[in-house]
């Protein structure tokens, strides 16, 4: 996954240098959420993405947490992914759950990809509220 992410951000940097912000945003968003994700975005969401796409390469420089870093956390962790997210996210979350005792659960948000809080806000919010109320997840999808 680290190699895929590095390639995705390198492509974003190259695309931004070309001056085609919308093309760069389309390619990046589709890499995060699967082919066609950009086309499913509302005009408002596309504009937010375009307004912020120039900050995208800095995300590649964020600190990387190791398994030991995550295992040191003593609070419950809820892992979330979108049903339409690329498979690499589900694989990463499953590995985290196997190796990090404080992972309370994995929730898959239906009809959503990487921007699950925007694509299916009702299901996303319900999953977060359930987790906050009971302090655990239950490895299920939320409809």
């Amino acid at each position: 996954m680290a190699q895929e992410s590095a390639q995705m951000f390198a492509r974003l940097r190259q695309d931004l240098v070309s001056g085609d912000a919308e093309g760069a945003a389309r390619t990046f968003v589709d890499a995060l959420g699967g082919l066609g994700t950009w086309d499913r975005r509302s005009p408002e969401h596309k504009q937010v993405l375009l307004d912020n796409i120039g900050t995208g390469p800095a995300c590649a420089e964020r600190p990387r947490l190791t398994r030991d870093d995550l295992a040191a956390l003593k609070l419950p962790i809820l892992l979330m992914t979108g049903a339409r997210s690329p498979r690499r996210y589900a694989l990463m979350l499953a590995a985290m759950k196997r190796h990090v005792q404080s992972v309370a659960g994995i929730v898959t948000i239906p009809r959503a990809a990487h921007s699950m809080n925007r694509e299916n806000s009702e299901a996303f919010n319900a999953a977060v509220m359930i987790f906050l109320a009971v302090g655990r997840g239950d490895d299920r999808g939320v409809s």
Side-chain angles (χ1 to χ4, degrees):
M1 177 143 174
Q3 183 178 13
E4 285 182 29
S5 291
Q7 290 170 347
M8 184 176 60
F9 282 106
R11 171 78 189 266
L12 176 60
R13 279 187 205 92
Q14 290 172 345
D15 289 348
L16 288 172
V17 167
S18 78
D20 179 11
E22 185 166 340
R26 174 186 295 278
T27 300
F28 188 73
V29 167
D30 282 358
L32 284 173
L35 195 58
T37 299
W38 176 260
D39 293 330
R40 288 190 298 273
R41 296 285 186 252
S42 69
E44 295 81 12
H45 191 193
K46 286 179 181 177
Q47 190 58 55
V48 168
L49 291 163
L50 289 170
D51 290 346
N52 292 284
I53 196 66
T55 65
C59 292
E61 307 305 321
R62 65 182 176 262
R64 287 173 173 67
L65 299 174
T66 66
R67 178 173 45 188
D68 291 338
D69 293 333
L70 294 171
L73 297 174
K74 301 302 179 202
L75 59 149
I77 300 170
L78 176 63
L79 303 174
M80 301 176 77
T81 189
R84 290 194 316 247
S85 291
R87 178 127 173 88
R88 65 182 179 263
Y89 295 109
L91 295 173
M92 178 188 65
L93 297 183
M96 286 174 66
K97 184 171 186 209
R98 284 193 308 274
H99 298 287
V100 179
Q101 186 175 6
S102 58
V103 170
I106 301 172
V107 173
T108 300
I109 303 299
R111 300 177 311 281
H114 193 68
S115 284
M116 64 197 97
N117 60 316
R118 291 180 184 264
E119 295 174 350
N120 190 344
S121 57
E122 187 174 307
F124 177 88
N125 291 339
V128 171
M129 294 305 290
I130 290 167
F131 175 72
L132 292 174
V134 298
R136 61 177 185 77
D138 62 4
D139 294 335
R140 64 182 175 90
V142 175
S143 23

